[in-house]
Amino acid sequence: MASINRRRALAGSAALAVCAPVLAACGSDGSTAVDSGPSDGSGASDSGETLASAADVPVGGCFVVQDAKVVVTQPTEGDFKAFTAVCTHQGCLVETSTEGDIPCPCHSSKFSLEDGSPVSGPATSALAPVEITVDGDSILRA
Ligand code: FES
């Protein structure tokens, strides 16, 4: 009997050890926020870093570069812009889309492909711009 109780106690401790970091990363509403990187919100800042291929970015949509936490948009063909992919509401990463805006999956904010400004949802601040250059088919951090 004592060994069962001890086993249960150990199992409970293990569950707490596994869950605690997960809980720490969750918002009060259950959403998962991400580290926004440097204080400018632009993610890593390696100048010249290749972010994406132009072909990755849909016309009238956006492509999220997960590792760099940057979203590259193409509002009109051949016109590329980039912003931090960290939502200004509660810090989720926005999503790749072909729907004419930059959507956040956590609470449905949507941002402009042109300037990163919020167009709907709870977010009230724009996504910070990220300077890019286009070199042939490559989109690079400026
Ligand atoms: Fe809430 Fe993006 S984190 S809408």
Side-chain angles (χ1 to χ4, degrees), residues 41-116:
S42 61
S45 57
D46 297 330
S47 180
E49 170 189 17
T50 299
L51 294 171
S53 164
D56 293 335
V57 187
V59 176
C62 62
F63 175 75
V64 174
V65 186
Q66 298 278 334
D67 291 347
K69 296 178 184 170
V70 170
V71 57
V72 182
T73 70
Q74 190 175 186
T76 57
E77 188 163 356
D79 178 27
F80 295 94
K81 300 177 186 300
F83 308 93
T84 176
V86 179
C87 181
T88 57
H89 178 231
Q90 289 186 358
C92 292
L93 279 190
V94 296
E95 290 185 314
T96 294
S97 174
T98 59
E99 302 297 317
D101 53 32
I102 305 168
C104 178
C106 288
H107 312 100
S108 304
S109 286
K110 295 184 187 306
F111 299 88
S112 166
L113 296 176
E114 285 283 347
D115 60 9

Side-chain angles (χ1 to χ4, degrees), residues 22-23 25-33 90 92 106-107:
V22 173
L23 290 173
C26 295
S28 59
D29 59 357
S31 63
T32 302
Q90 289 186 358
C92 292
C106 288
H107 312 100

